[in-house]
Amino acid sequence: MIRKRTIIAIIITIIILIATNKVWLAFKPVCVNFNIYAEGKCNIEAQISKKNNDRFGKVKGIDSNYNLNETNTVNLKIKNAKTVKRIRIIISYIETSNPITIKNIKVNNVKLNHLDKISAEGAKILKQDNELVLKPLDEIIILNYPENLNMTADIDFNAEIFIIIAVLTFLFAYKLANYTAEFNTIYKKPKTEIIFLAVFFVFLFIPMSYIDNREISEKENRMLAKLNPVINQEGQLNYNFTKEFDNWFNDRFNLRIFFIRANNYKLILNKNWKTNTVLKGKNNWLFYGKQESISSYTNKNLLTPKELEEMADYLSNIDDYCKKHNKHFYFIIAPDKSRIYPEYYPDDIKPAGSVPITKQLTDYLNRHTKVKIIYPKDILIANKGNDILYYKTDTHWNMAGAYIAYSEIMKEIQKDYKNVKIYVPEKYITEQHNGDLYKMTPKNLRKDDETYYKNPVLDNSSMCKKNIKDSSQLVTCYNKNANINALVYRDSFSESLIPYYTESFKTAKFIWRYDVNIDAAEDADIVILEVVERLIPRFRKILKEEENAV
């Protein structure tokens, strides 16, 4: 009898060890290192593929910023990679046009010897003495190594964790087997009861058996929640720890994706379903499903009198500065998609009041300030019968909708600068588009958007320089045929306005944030602040944080 219980305990221990293998058995990061000799700063990324082809579909990679004036050694560690077939190196945001020399490329301490077979995109390449000399032709250089590396990542075996899990599991399993046998003879109860209880408690521990340590969820197109310590480095107590821990665990517990998929299959049966981020409306229109967006539509996110006063003061200070320095300030509110196309919103979600937050804010600003406000809701509604102005599977307006908003903005600017020109497209094409809401939608619920949208033929991207690695994602555009300089603080809704603005302004700087730094407006003739309607409360919160920081 003892031997039987021991065998049962061993079997259970083996099962638990297999189930928890990611805790005590992991693949070590794939190390990519090489020497690089150049000037200035750049971003360097290493990507590996588990397939032996040039497609690089699903890749693992890591990138980092380097100051090549201070270091000549690049060390990149790619996590969660099991097999390595192909590798490529991407050098971007290069600050020099001088040659770049690379040598001694190694993957897991294995030197790549066939450098003569490496091809380069975005640069002229010269191969000599087992080193590469690159002459940059573009802001991005991609080096492709065509040989099959056929590597497997080294395994990191944590013997201490393995022994702890094995011993504790065996003791628990042996005690459980012993108790189960006695349960029937001593307590005259069926063994199924204790087995049910044991299985139940085992299932309680499954969610914590593996914690996802990724920072970004590609499938959900968002950052996963972060966990800050109870006591930070300054010795201050984190009063939000319990809430942050709850969000962190909910984003990372074991089998989370399984339960999400199971719920998604149930949603297929619903006519108007909702996930954490996407809300399905009528005729396959998708809307942003976060509460801030729904609250904006239902008019449940109104501001208090004090908050209205604080926002008015903030915008007035910007306006006063601009007037004092012979500049003009324009406050733009981009309408929510649900404001322009409420007919496609689910019928079971209805506005709770008649006054939206935008009307509340604009009425207050018009009464108490002289800030120029542009809210192109009415002009968009008036024109939506001519073209579709917002993407069906995206939160944003499309290029046709953006042009109508741009025209309305420029008409207001023309009142102050009569010489500024409003761009008029000459040619159009039609294109399909699956947007951000499509990407946020679970795969089994996705439906391709077969709608064709009207886009102007407008290619002035070469007139703009981007620095997306900058915290403000700075974009600077130049047009020698214009004579007005603009400084634009914005969110994602201005992304499709940038090509139009580029046609109207001599120099236009676009900064992705809401807190306006008036010191940066020294060379600007106009200052624009654009906020999407649903984020007005968040805009208010940012202002409060800035005020507390000061």
Side-chain angles (χ1 to χ4, degrees):
M1 184 64 68
I2 295 177
R3 187 171 65 179
K4 183 179 179 181
R5 295 173 188 177
T6 303
I7 293 173
I8 293 174
I10 292 173
I11 293 174
I12 294 175
T13 302
I14 293 173
I15 293 174
I16 297 299
L17 285 172
I18 294 174
T20 60
N21 72 89
K22 291 184 178 179
V23 177
W24 51 267
L25 189 66
F27 287 94
K28 292 182 179 179
V30 174
C31 298
V32 179
N33 50 73
F34 54 88
N35 300 115
I36 182 169
Y37 303 94
E39 301 173 354
K41 298 178 181 179
C42 67
N43 180 265
I44 301 176
E45 179 180 5
Q47 293 183 349
I48 58 177
S49 174
K50 64 181 180 180
K51 293 185 177 181
N52 185 26
N53 56 45
D54 297 326
R55 294 179 61 184
F56 275 80
K58 295 182 179 180
V59 300
K60 301 285 185 180
I62 188 70
D63 70 314
S64 183
N65 292 315
Y66 287 89
N67 185 342
L68 302 179
N69 295 322
E70 299 177 355
T71 182
N72 302 121
T73 303
V74 172
N75 291 295
L76 299 169
K77 295 182 178 181
I78 304 173
K79 298 179 180 180
N80 304 318
K82 298 179 181 179
T83 59
V84 183
K85 298 290 186 180
R86 291 290 192 91
I87 182 172
R88 67 182 179 188
I89 297 170
I90 301 174
I91 307 172
S92 56
Y93 311 107
I94 305 164
E95 295 185 354
T96 179
S97 59
N98 295 327
I100 300 171
T101 301
I102 295 176
K103 61 181 181 180
N104 299 325
I105 303 176
K106 295 180 181 180
V107 180
N108 280 354
N109 291 322
V110 177
K111 189 173 182 180
L112 304 186
N113 293 318
H114 301 289
L115 297 186
D116 56 311
K117 296 184 178 181
I118 289 181
S119 62
E121 300 175 27
K124 289 184 178 180
I125 183 169
L126 176 64
K127 302 154 189 175
Q128 58 184 21
D129 298 330
N130 205 27
E131 65 181 26
L132 304 175
V133 179
L134 307 173
K135 176 66 175 177
L137 300 175
D138 202 347
E139 292 183 354
I140 299 177
I141 299 174
I142 302 176
L143 301 178
N144 292 293
Y145 186 73
E147 295 292 303
N148 182 2
L149 299 178
N150 199 23
M151 291 182 179
T152 302
D154 295 332
I155 294 176
D156 187 11
F157 174 63
N158 193 323
E160 294 179 359
I161 298 295
F162 176 83
I163 292 172
I164 291 172
I165 294 175
V167 171
L168 292 179
T169 302
F170 177 80
L171 293 175
F172 172 78
Y174 185 83
K175 186 64 177 178
L176 178 64
N178 187 58
Y179 187 59
T180 303
E182 293 176 352
F183 198 73
N184 181 254
T185 57
I186 297 176
Y187 300 103
K188 305 300 181 182
K189 297 288 185 179
K191 295 180 180 179
T192 52
E193 290 190 16
I194 188 62
I195 293 174
F196 172 79
L197 288 173
V199 172
F200 173 77
F201 281 104
V202 168
F203 272 108
L204 288 180
F205 285 93
I206 288 178
M208 65 183 74
S209 64
Y210 172 69
I211 299 298
D212 188 351
N213 291 318
R214 294 177 302 167
E215 295 184 359
I216 300 175
S217 173
E218 296 179 359
K219 293 182 179 180
E220 298 177 72
N221 195 32
R222 69 180 181 91
M223 297 287 294
L224 296 179
K226 293 183 179 180
L227 180 63
N228 296 314
V230 178
I231 300 177
N232 61 25
Q233 295 179 349
E234 288 76 27
Q236 297 175 334
L237 188 64
N238 179 11
Y239 294 101
N240 296 319
F241 178 78
T242 54
K243 183 178 180 181
E244 290 177 358
F245 180 84
D246 186 52
N247 294 333
W248 175 82
F249 185 77
N250 288 338
D251 268 359
R252 300 169 185 277
F253 68 86
N254 194 18
L255 297 181
R256 175 177 177 273
I257 299 300
F258 168 80
F259 289 114
I260 290 176
R261 288 174 179 171
N263 182 66
N264 291 340
Y265 283 110
K266 182 189 73 174
L267 291 176
I268 294 177
L269 303 176
N270 297 341
K271 184 177 180 181
N272 299 115
W273 45 257
K274 181 183 180 303
T275 68
N276 289 334
T277 52
V278 183
L279 180 67
K280 183 178 181 293
K282 303 171 188 175
N283 294 354
N284 295 316
W285 278 66
L286 302 181
F287 295 87
Y288 196 44
K290 285 287 188 180
Q291 189 56 49
E292 61 189 7
S293 180
I294 297 175
S295 295
S296 178
Y297 176 78
T298 56
N299 304 327
K300 292 183 179 179
N301 60 344
L302 299 183
L303 301 168
T304 65
K306 183 179 179 181
E307 289 172 340
L308 287 168
E309 181 181 355
E310 289 171 345
M311 291 187 69
D313 288 343
Y314 177 78
L315 296 171
S316 291
N317 288 337
I318 302 172
D319 190 49
D320 291 343
Y321 169 87
C322 289
K323 289 177 179 175
K324 183 178 178 180
H325 293 83
N326 297 318
K327 307 175 191 296
H328 289 85
F329 172 60
Y330 307 91
F331 179 51
I332 300 167
I333 303 176
D336 289 342
K337 180 179 177 179
S338 57
R339 293 286 180 211
I340 308 304
Y341 292 97
E343 62 270 27
Y344 296 115
Y345 215 71
D347 289 332
D348 59 337
I349 302 178
K350 299 183 182 300
S354 58
V355 180
I357 187 173
T358 306
K359 179 171 175 53
Q360 181 199 27
L361 177 60
T362 54
D363 285 353
Y364 187 91
L365 293 175
N366 286 330
R367 289 197 306 269
H368 297 88
T369 75
K370 295 182 180 180
V371 174
K372 296 173 184 176
I373 309 163
I374 304 171
Y375 177 48
K377 172 191 168 186
D378 293 339
I379 191 70
L380 286 165
I381 292 176
N383 283 273
K384 73 178 186 178
N386 301 325
D387 296 297
I388 299 178
L389 304 181
Y390 282 65
Y391 294 114
K392 292 176 66 174
T393 59
D394 198 300
T395 54
H396 304 90
W397 48 33
N398 55 38
M399 293 302 292
Y403 180 75
I404 292 173
Y406 156 80
S407 299
E408 194 74 0
I409 295 167
M410 296 308 298
K411 288 177 184 176
E412 188 67 29
I413 293 176
Q414 272 189 337
K415 295 178 182 179
D416 301 311
Y417 299 94
K418 300 186 183 301
N419 294 329
V420 70
K421 294 181 179 179
I422 300 178
Y423 169 75
V424 179
E426 297 179 356
K427 296 181 180 179
Y428 292 88
I429 58 174
T430 56
E431 296 178 324
Q432 293 178 315
H433 178 83
N434 286 320
D436 56 359
L437 294 174
Y438 175 87
K439 295 177 182 177
M440 296 179 203
T441 301
K443 289 184 179 180
N444 60 307
L445 295 175
R446 289 179 184 175
K447 186 172 183 180
D448 288 342
D449 183 10
E450 298 179 355
T451 306
Y452 281 87
Y453 300 95
K454 182 180 177 182
N455 292 335
V457 178
L458 186 141
D459 184 16
N460 53 20
S461 58
S462 61
M463 300 162 64
C464 299
K465 292 185 178 181
K466 298 183 179 181
N467 183 15
I468 62 173
K469 290 296 177 181
D470 184 90
S471 60
S472 63
Q473 300 195 47
L474 175 66
V475 179
T476 307
C477 301
Y478 306 93
N479 184 350
K480 62 182 180 180
N481 297 320
N483 52 21
I484 299 296
N485 297 324
L487 176 64
V488 182
Y489 287 84
R490 52 98 176 197
D491 53 37
S492 59
F493 263 74
S494 283
E495 194 72 17
S496 51
L497 292 174
I498 291 177
Y500 298 124
Y501 282 144
T502 301
E503 295 292 334
S504 296
F505 299 129
K506 181 179 180 180
T507 300
K509 292 184 178 180
F510 302 91
I511 300 176
W512 195 320
R513 65 171 185 253
Y514 291 151
D515 51 314
V516 176
N517 178 11
I518 54 178
D519 293 335
E522 181 178 355
D523 298 327
D525 298 300
I526 67 172
V527 177
I528 294 174
L529 172 60
E530 175 268 314
V531 179
V532 64
E533 187 169 6
R534 69 171 183 268
L535 296 186
I536 289 176
R538 191 187 297 183
F539 170 53
R540 159 71 190 90
K541 182 179 179 182
I542 291 172
L543 301 187
K544 190 64 178 176
E545 291 174 349
E546 289 295 316
E547 178 183 316
N548 292 336
V550 174

